[in-house]
Amino acid sequence: MRYRTVASLLGAAILTIAAPAAVPADVTPARVIVVSSIAQLQSAADQAVAGDRIELVDGTYTTSGSITLRRSGTATAPITVAAQNVGGAEIRGTSGFSFSNADFVVVEGFRFTHSGTITIPGGSEHVRFTRNVVQLSGGTNWVTVTGNDAEVDHNTFQNKSTQGVFLQIAGPGGDDMAQRTWIHHNYFHNHTFDGSNGGESIRLGLSFRQLASAFATVEFNLFDHADGDSEAISVKSSDNVVRFNTLRNTRGSIVLRHGNRNLVEGNLMLGGTAGLRFYDNDHVLINNVIQGGTGQIIAGSGDIADDTTGSTSHARPDRVVVAFNTVVGNRTALLQVGQGTDRLGPNQCTFANNIFVGGGSGGLLDVDEATGTTWQGNIVWAGTGGNAPSSGYRVVNPLLVTDPGGLNRLSSGSPAINAAAGDVPRAGRDFDLQTRSDLKDVGADEFVPGNAPRRPLTTADVGPNAGAEPPQANRFEAESATIFHGVVEANHAGFTGTGFVNSDNEIGSYVEWTVTAAAAGPATLTFRFANGTTANRPMDITVNGALAADELSFPGTGAWTTWQTRSVTASLTAGANTVRATGTTANGGPNLDHLAIG
C-alpha cells in the first residue's frame, strides 16, 4: 500500500494513513469523447485507450442489456466513463455497467435506477465507482465488490424497502475476500426493509469468508435512517478498519459479526438505536461516541469459542479492547458484557477509560458472563456500575458539555482529565485526531481548551456533490504561507484552497508555514505537491530551524495536474512552530499545494 492523505471531514485534523491505492482523482484526459446514446457509449468504451474520458450527455437512457467495460487504463491514466454533468444522466432499463477484466476504470456521476444489480468482479481491479446515485428498481444486493483495490466514494445509496444490502464486499472463490476496498464519503439513507435480517447498508464479508483478511477501510460515510437491519455496517471478515463514520437516527449498529483483528475508531452514533456489538477475537473499539438514543456497547456471547470453519455460529469474543469511548444514553445497561448465562461469555477482554452517562438510575454496566476481564479507569454517572467490579470504575460526574455541533465533550475541571489508567493500544489520539498527552483523559475527547474540531458529518460532506477537500483545521494552504521567491497560481486543476505556490527555479526559494501543536511530540508532516517534469525537485525540510529531512525527494508526478504527497516525521513543540520547505537545486521546488499535520 502507499500512503495517502485523507481528509477527515471533521472540521478538524487531516490524517496521513495507509489506505488502498486508488485511481487518481485529477488527471488530464488523453481524449474527451462525448456520446449521446447507449450504443455510442458502448462503442466508445470498446475503443477506449488509457486516459480517455467518455461523457454521456444529460438525459434518461433505457438499456436492454449491460454496458460492458472491457478496456483498461493505467494507474496514472485511467479510463473514465462519466455523466457529462454529475447526476445528469440516468440509466434505466434492465442493466447498468458490467466489467470484464477492466482495470483502472472510473464510473462517475450517473443515476442508476435500472433493475439489474451492479458488480465489480474479480479480474477487474482498481475500479473507482464515484459520485453516483444508486436507487435500483430491483435486485437484492445492489452493488457488490469482488475485485481488488476498488474505491467506492462520494455516492448516494437510497430508498430501498426490500431485503438486500446497499453495498456488499465479497471476494473470489469460496472463501477469499476482495482486497483493500476503500469505501468513503458515501451517503446511505432510507433503508426501510422491515424484516428480521438481510437489510444492512454495508456488508463487509460473509460468514464463510470471515477468516480471510480483507484490509478494507470504511470511513467518513454518513448513515441516516439505515433501518433495514440491526446491523448498518456488518463486518464478516478480518483485518478491516471502520472509522470516522456518522450514524444518525439509525436502527442499525456497527457490528463485528464475524472475523478477527478489526479496528472500530472514532465513529459517531447519534440517536436511534445505533451502537457497537462484537464477537470473535482481537478487535479494538476506541474513541467512539454513542449519544442521544438507546444505543449501547454489547460484548456478545458465543455458541462456540473460536470459529475455524467459517460457520454462521456466534464466536466468543477474546482479547477485545474497548477503551476511550463515550456513551451517553437514556437506557440502562449502556455496556452489556455477555448475553445471558448459558453461553460462552467474553474472555480476556479489556474495558478501560470509557465514560458512561445514563438517564438517572439503574445499572449502566451489566456483566452476564465473562472470564479474565480487565476493568480500569471507567467513569459512571447518572446510574450505577451495576455488577461490574467496583475497582474498575468511579461514580463521578464527568462534567460533559455540549459543543456547537451537538457532541458531548469534557469541560474544564472534569475529573476525567488526566485520569486514564493503564496502557491501551492505539490510544495516542482522541476522536478529534488530537494527540493525547502522557496523562490521558477518560472518554473519546482529550480536553483542549477552546478547541472542538470534530463535528458530525452532514449531507454537505458526503455524496455526489460534496467537495473532495473541504477546509481542515490541520491543513495549511501554501498560498497562505510565507513565500520567498515564488508566486501563487491557480492554473493547474486539482489543488485545494484557492491556489498553490510555484517556487522560482533557484536554490533557496522556500515556503514557510506557521502551525500550532496542542502538545509537544512527534507529528507527520505531509506535503501535497505536483511536479510536471521528469526531474526530481528535492527540498530541505526544517522545523523551528532544525533540519527534519535532508533533500526530501519530490519526483515527477506525470503532469502538473497530478497531485501526490510526501511525508516526514518531525518533533513539534507545544504552541507555534515554523515548517519550511526549501528548494535545493536550480530547478527550485515542485508546486506546493498544502501542508497537513497528522
Side-chain angles (χ1 to χ4, degrees), residues 146-191:
T146 302
N148 294 335
D149 296 295
E151 181 178 3
V152 180
D153 70 286
H154 292 94
N155 302 288
T156 291
F157 297 82
Q158 65 184 12
N159 301 335
K160 184 169 176 55
S161 61
T162 57
Q163 188 175 39
V165 304
F166 280 138
L167 173 64
Q168 70 170 353
I169 312 304
D175 53 13
D176 290 332
M177 282 295 299
Q179 298 293 287
R180 297 172 298 277
T181 308
W182 188 17
I183 304 165
H184 63 97
H185 299 100
N186 299 288
Y187 183 33
F188 298 89
H189 77 108
N190 202 28
H191 198 316

Side-chain angles (χ1 to χ4, degrees), residues 453-499:
R454 183 77 188 261
R455 61 173 174 79
L457 295 170
T458 70
T459 53
D461 303 315
V462 297
N465 297 312
E469 293 278 359
Q472 301 295 320
N474 275 31
R475 188 180 73 208
F476 301 89
E477 298 294 342
E479 65 270 24
S480 300
T482 299
I483 303 166
F484 179 74
H485 288 193
V487 295
V488 175
E489 295 180 341
N491 57 326
H492 297 304
F495 55 83
T496 62
T498 59

